[in-house]
Amino acid sequence: MFLRVSRVTSGQRTYEYLQILETYREEGRHRQRVIANLGRLDRLGETLDNLMRSMRRYCREQFVSPTEIASRSSAVWGPILLARHLWEEMGLTEIIHRVCRSPRQKYDVAERAFVLVANRLTEPSSEHGLARWLEHTFVCDRQGRRWEPDWLPVEAITKDQRVKVSSGQLQRWYRTLDALLGAKEAIEGALYRRVRDLFSLQVNLVFYDVTSAYFQRREPTGRLRRHGKSRDGHPREVQVIVGVVMANGWPIAHHLFPGQTADKSTLQSVVADVQRRFGVRRVTVVADRGMVSEANLAFLSERGFRYLVGIKGRRSREAAQVLASLGEDEGAWVRVDEENRVQTVRLGEEPVRYFVVESGARKAYEQSLRERSMDRVGQALEKIARAVSAGRLKDPAKIGARAERAVAANHGKRYFSYAVGGEGQFTFEQDAEKMRAELAREGRYILKSDDPDLTAVDAVETYKELATVEAGFRDLKDVIAMRPIWHKTDDRIRAHILVATLALFLKRTLQHHLDAEGVCLSASDALGAMKTVSVTDLDLGGTKHRLVTSGGRDARRVLKALRLRDPRPPGCSQTERKR
């Protein structure tokens, strides 16, 4: 059956009638006949609407008019969908249930921990700002129950009040942090075993580096908050030192040290802890030049570890000896790629080898910097020489002071020497010996290793992987927003950074899946693309429906890479009648 509009002309007017027809077969041919005449279209009006509403109860599909559709809420869902998938894949719900179980706990630590980690992964904010995030993001538990912010009553909020969330909800987040910190070692150990079994992780290289995170409060209270060498451009702020251990791209452990701790003094305790907790034995520790000391290298050897470290190129007698021992023959170099080549050097009979890496791009860059610095310093020294020659500058002390300022700026001491012979006397020149040393190290860096099985090319490629740790630090500090830290106590600081490293762990897992499926997106871009997937709650003619948008092009690529075929939240397929 179907509807048809029949037109009838009477005099100068044409009338339209609505009819119901059916198709039937007679004598091998299809024919049509009128079942009912519903009347003139211009007179049906509300009668037809009432008829359709009456017929809806007998239809398999429910039909509603636009006036009966109301949007109850709409929230971002895609990033949380990814976070939940990765969280469950890593077994974090099971792990936290197992290691954070306590008869004193009256709440689900794993579910609350997921909210904290998902917030840090997708839109980092403080525990106070988390409430605002919950308003526009659909965050639910495994049963599909949405987390809601618990705001203070409007009449209880003053203009100067920073915290607008109920103290009860804040305390629940803080107790969750405390529970996670109490199980830190157990969580890290379980995650390491999980990723080792899930992705067949073979730990033969351990990468270690440190960074710093500053605080909003400047008071050096507690054990961790101290003034030290800042890597954030905030030298006036107190800070904490964070050391992260990575294996094959995954952060398997992290350690905290007081803000004034020197990089090299952290290595031994971290390596001993990794050996104790993860049972690694024959591995190569890869670290940058800030970790190098004779005591550290001897410690690694005593523990049975191999090492691959960078060594300082300036003010280092060791580096000068290595560079002086380079072979002049072109055949001494081994080509790594189009831009890089490497040469192996031994000093005496020592089993330790040095790898001098020369980068064409790095050499061109450093050469341009050197030429610019030499030009600036040369102009400054020439200006002093003209002033002395003209008799405007005679005092030897003043001449020496101006010359010292000139060579101190722009690294002038690397290239020039000067002399003040007496009153009204000044000479300067390019120092040939300094220039030879400068040109010898330009575009080059030096690696040191006691691993006899490591080839020169493998050493270069392995050391480049240390950039994975540095990228992890950028994620921790910028994307996952580990800094600045607002917490006051040492334990809350440790818990805050634990949550950030768990978020980094999930992000690295996401990147692993994208790379494995050949999706040319960074994990950050993938999370951003997933914001196009949202959840909308609709009221359709008295029935509640929860709909999920399909997302944009890149969001669909991410869902396919992670094999997420059903993007709906838990319980989304069910409908509920209004009460």
Side-chain angles (χ1 to χ4, degrees):
M1 290 190 295
F2 59 95
L3 293 174
R4 186 178 70 180
V5 176
S6 175
R7 294 176 176 81
V8 177
T9 301
S10 176
Q12 296 182 351
R13 299 187 62 181
T14 300
Y15 300 94
E16 294 183 336
Y17 294 87
L18 186 64
Q19 300 175 324
I20 300 177
L21 284 78
E22 71 170 355
T23 301
Y24 65 97
R25 191 176 182 86
E26 184 180 43
E27 297 180 357
R29 300 179 63 181
H30 290 285
R31 301 181 182 273
Q32 299 173 350
R33 60 188 171 202
V34 177
I35 299 296
N37 287 300
L38 299 180
R40 278 173 51 179
L41 273 178
D42 57 339
R43 294 180 178 178
L44 284 175
E46 188 175 337
T47 302
L48 187 59
D49 293 337
N50 293 334
L51 177 63
M52 294 302 298
R53 278 195 290 270
S54 300
M55 295 175 63
R56 279 191 311 199
R57 71 183 65 179
Y58 304 107
C59 299
R60 294 181 181 179
E61 297 290 340
Q62 187 175 14
F63 301 95
V64 294
S65 65
T67 58
E68 295 178 292
I69 301 175
S71 176
R72 299 172 58 239
S73 66
S74 182
V76 174
W77 161 243
I80 306 304
L81 170 65
L82 281 193
R84 175 63 78 175
H85 176 79
L86 299 169
W87 178 271
E88 298 297 344
E89 181 184 29
M90 290 295 103
L92 275 163
T93 296
E94 177 188 350
I95 291 169
I96 294 175
H97 275 158
R98 185 173 68 250
V99 301
C100 293
R101 184 177 301 169
S102 170
R104 297 178 58 188
Q105 291 167 351
K106 306 299 182 182
Y107 57 91
D108 191 331
V109 179
E111 284 299 333
R112 290 188 180 172
F114 169 74
V115 177
L116 293 175
V117 174
N119 172 251
R120 190 63 40 186
L121 176 66
T122 62
E123 193 174 315
S125 59
S126 67
E127 284 71 25
H128 302 153
L130 183 144
R132 187 70 64 191
W133 172 71
L134 289 175
E135 277 201 327
H136 63 74
T137 306
F138 188 89
V139 187
C140 64
D141 61 15
R142 284 172 295 166
Q143 283 71 46
R145 296 184 297 246
R146 184 175 179 180
W147 288 90
E148 301 282 355
D150 186 6
W151 297 111
L152 290 174
V154 175
E155 58 272 13
I157 298 175
T158 63
K159 184 176 181 181
D160 298 328
Q161 188 172 6
R162 186 173 68 88
V163 180
K164 299 178 176 61
V165 185
S166 72
S167 61
Q169 188 171 62
L170 286 179
Q171 290 305 317
R172 287 191 286 273
W173 297 129
Y174 291 146
R175 286 198 294 272
T176 303
L177 289 175
D178 297 338
L180 288 175
L181 181 62
K184 173 184 178 296
E185 288 198 5
I187 292 171
E188 287 181 338
L191 277 177
Y192 167 73
R193 291 187 292 273
R194 175 73 173 174
V195 75
R196 182 192 61 189
D197 297 341
L198 194 62
F199 300 110
S200 302
L201 181 64
Q202 299 294 324
V203 182
N204 52 11
L205 292 172
V206 170
F207 296 85
Y208 176 64
D209 205 350
V210 300
T211 188
S212 62
Y214 67 92
F215 295 81
Q216 283 299 113
R217 299 174 175 86
R218 294 183 177 179
E219 302 83 8
T221 56
R223 194 183 73 86
L224 295 175
R225 295 165 58 176
R226 291 292 183 271
H227 290 285
K229 180 183 177 182
S230 176
R231 297 166 177 81
D232 300 306
H234 290 77
R236 299 179 63 184
E237 314 289 354
V238 292
Q239 64 179 18
V240 63
I241 300 297
V242 184
V244 175
V245 180
M246 281 198 175
N248 293 42
W250 273 276
I252 63 173
H254 74 276
H255 300 76
L256 268 63
F257 305 92
Q260 80 277 26
T261 308
D263 294 359
K264 61 185 179 183
S265 66
T266 67
L267 181 67
Q268 294 187 23
S269 61
V270 169
V271 169
D273 177 74
V274 169
Q275 191 174 39
R276 173 182 64 84
R277 288 203 285 145
F278 303 110
V280 293
R281 291 292 180 265
R282 297 287 295 177
V283 300
T284 299
V285 177
V286 185
D288 74 355
R289 60 190 184 182
M291 304 295 167
V292 177
S293 71
E294 292 301 324
N296 282 344
L297 299 185
F299 173 83
L300 292 174
S301 298
E302 291 170 2
R303 289 272 178 165
F305 289 158
R306 300 297 185 183
Y307 61 79
L308 174 64
V309 295
I311 67 172
K312 295 181 179 180
R314 298 187 184 279
R315 297 184 298 276
S316 168
R317 183 179 301 176
E318 183 181 27
Q321 290 177 330
V322 171
L323 292 172
S325 302
L326 282 174
E328 299 295 335
D329 185 10
E330 188 68 25
W333 294 91
V334 176
R335 180 63 59 180
V336 178
D337 51 41
E338 292 183 0
E339 286 289 338
N340 299 277
R341 60 179 187 169
V342 61
Q343 185 175 151
T344 305
V345 175
R346 292 182 184 270
L347 297 180
E349 300 298 325
E350 293 185 11
V352 174
R353 292 177 297 161
Y354 299 87
F355 305 104
V356 181
V357 187
E358 184 178 89
S359 166
R362 179 172 179 164
K363 187 171 185 176
Y365 174 70
E366 292 182 358
Q367 180 180 343
S368 67
L369 293 181
R370 173 179 56 80
E371 291 173 348
R372 184 171 59 184
S373 296
M374 289 180 66
D375 184 57
R376 290 175 177 174
V377 177
Q379 290 180 21
L381 292 173
E382 185 62 40
K383 186 176 181 180
I384 297 171
R386 289 197 300 269
V388 172
S389 177
R392 297 192 303 271
L393 188 60
K394 297 179 181 181
D395 186 356
K398 292 183 178 180
I399 296 173
R402 283 190 59 178
E404 189 63 25
R405 288 196 299 270
V407 297
N410 298 295
H411 309 294
K413 290 186 177 181
R414 298 178 183 176
Y415 324 113
F416 293 95
S417 296
Y418 68 88
V420 181
E423 185 174 343
Q425 297 179 10
F426 174 74
T427 58
F428 73 94
E429 64 178 358
Q430 271 192 28
D431 192 308
E433 184 177 348
K434 290 181 179 179
M435 285 300 300
R436 279 196 297 272
E438 193 65 28
L439 293 175
R441 66 172 61 97
E442 196 166 77
R444 293 170 175 172
Y445 60 95
I446 305 173
L447 308 179
K448 180 178 181 179
S449 178
D450 66 344
D451 188 344
D453 300 324
L454 193 64
T455 67
V457 173
D458 288 341
V460 177
E461 296 296 339
T462 299
Y463 193 73
K464 285 182 178 179
E465 291 183 30
L466 192 59
T468 303
V469 180
E470 296 172 354
F473 283 146
R474 288 193 294 274
D475 281 338
L476 274 174
K477 297 167 72 172
D478 299 328
V479 181
I480 303 176
M482 180 181 69
R483 60 180 181 183
I485 301 174
W486 291 86
H487 294 286
K488 298 179 181 179
T489 66
D490 287 351
D491 282 348
R492 291 282 166 78
I493 294 166
R494 291 188 177 94
H496 171 84
I497 295 177
L498 171 60
V499 169
T501 55
L502 288 176
L504 176 61
F505 195 96
L506 295 186
K507 191 170 185 182
R508 289 298 176 202
T509 307
L510 172 59
Q511 191 64 62
H512 173 84
H513 284 301
L514 295 174
D515 293 343
E517 295 297 322
V519 179
C520 297
L521 287 174
S522 68
S524 297
D525 289 340
L527 288 166
M530 288 299 293
K531 289 183 178 180
T532 59
V533 178
S534 60
V535 167
T536 302
D537 288 334
L538 295 180
D539 188 325
L540 302 179
T543 303
K544 296 178 182 179
H545 289 266
R546 178 165 287 169
L547 306 179
V548 179
T549 62
S550 59
R553 179 199 63 178
D554 287 342
R556 294 193 293 272
R557 293 170 62 201
V558 174
L559 291 172
K560 183 178 180 181
L562 271 69
R563 294 176 173 80
L564 282 168
R565 295 180 175 84
D566 186 1
R568 297 175 298 179
C572 186
S573 60
Q574 299 177 358
T575 60
E576 180 182 351
R577 285 276 179 187
K578 265 189 176 181
R579 296 179 182 178

